Amino acid sequence: MAQELNNIYSIRVFCKKKISDPKEWLNDFFEDRVFFDENPGIIQKEHKLEVHYEDGKSPISISLHMVGDAYFDKEVSEIKYILSISRDSKGKQQVSELINGVVNLILLRMNRNEFESDDDDVWEFLDVLEAYLASEFEGFIHTDDEVFYDEKLRKIYKL
């Protein structure tokens, strides 16, 4: 299913703890949790995983990026630059300290326009997944809305 770029929404979970096998932790994550009417299908495609959660909807794409990877380095550099020109605040200081210790990031991409509402089951799934990743791998969350969250989904800072 073709996705228009303007419909794509990304969530990045920056992590201090090294992650080796995304499919392993994703299977562990789904083992004791139910979010959808049917178990989602997890398909490996090149360097990403796709979570197929409902027929007729685009999958959620999950990819792992590490230090030295072009995407990882670009994201970290952009955040550091924006923070360097932002006004000082407690949140800015916290994000600055957090970004310095990260070694990888997990990129979640989805077609946001396919979610029926903010109450959609997929949002609950994404919230729990983000919190799990940030907690399990000592990280924090950054969304396309330019908001940073901690492992408990508490807002830390907005650019």
Side-chain angles (χ1 to χ4, degrees), residues 6-151:
N6 62 348
N7 294 337
I8 300 301
Y9 183 76
S10 297
I11 299 168
R12 289 158 292 284
V13 183
F14 290 89
C15 305
K16 290 183 177 188
K17 191 173 174 184
K18 189 173 179 352
I19 302 168
S20 56
D21 184 5
K23 193 164 188 177
E24 184 179 308
W25 61 252
L26 191 57
N27 284 327
D28 289 346
F29 175 79
F30 278 122
E31 192 170 297
D32 298 323
R33 296 173 178 91
V34 177
F35 296 97
F36 309 108
D37 294 337
E38 297 179 23
N39 287 336
I42 302 170
I43 299 172
Q44 179 84 43
K45 289 221 174 167
E46 298 175 20
H47 301 291
K48 66 181 177 181
L49 296 173
E50 289 185 347
V51 177
H52 294 264
Y53 61 94
E54 187 177 321
D55 288 341
K57 292 197 176 183
S58 303
I60 296 169
S61 167
I62 301 174
S63 56
L64 174 65
H65 300 273
M66 298 175 225
V67 172
D69 164 302
Y71 181 80
F72 176 91
D73 292 346
K74 177 181 92 49
E75 289 296 314
V76 170
S77 292
E78 285 179 7
I79 290 170
K80 285 182 176 182
Y81 173 74
I82 291 171
L83 289 171
S84 75
I85 61 173
S86 300
R87 64 179 176 78
D88 287 335
S89 71
K90 182 180 174 188
K92 173 191 166 181
Q93 180 181 351
Q94 188 175 357
V95 172
S96 295
E97 290 169 5
L98 290 169
I99 196 74
N100 285 322
V102 298
V103 296
N104 39 215
L105 78 87
I106 298 164
L107 174 63
L108 308 169
R109 298 185 78 194
M110 71 281 320
N111 186 338
R112 190 175 187 168
N113 291 349
E114 291 182 349
F115 303 164
E116 293 175 16
S117 69
D118 288 342
D119 299 348
D120 199 302
D121 289 345
V122 76
W123 281 120
E124 179 184 350
F125 159 69
L126 288 167
D127 285 347
V128 174
L129 179 60
E130 294 163 43
Y132 168 82
L133 292 169
S135 178
E136 188 75 16
F137 300 106
E138 299 173 21
F140 66 96
I141 301 151
H142 176 235
T143 67
D144 275 355
D145 300 323
E146 298 300 346
V147 180
F148 294 89
Y149 299 93
D150 68 10
E151 73 279 355

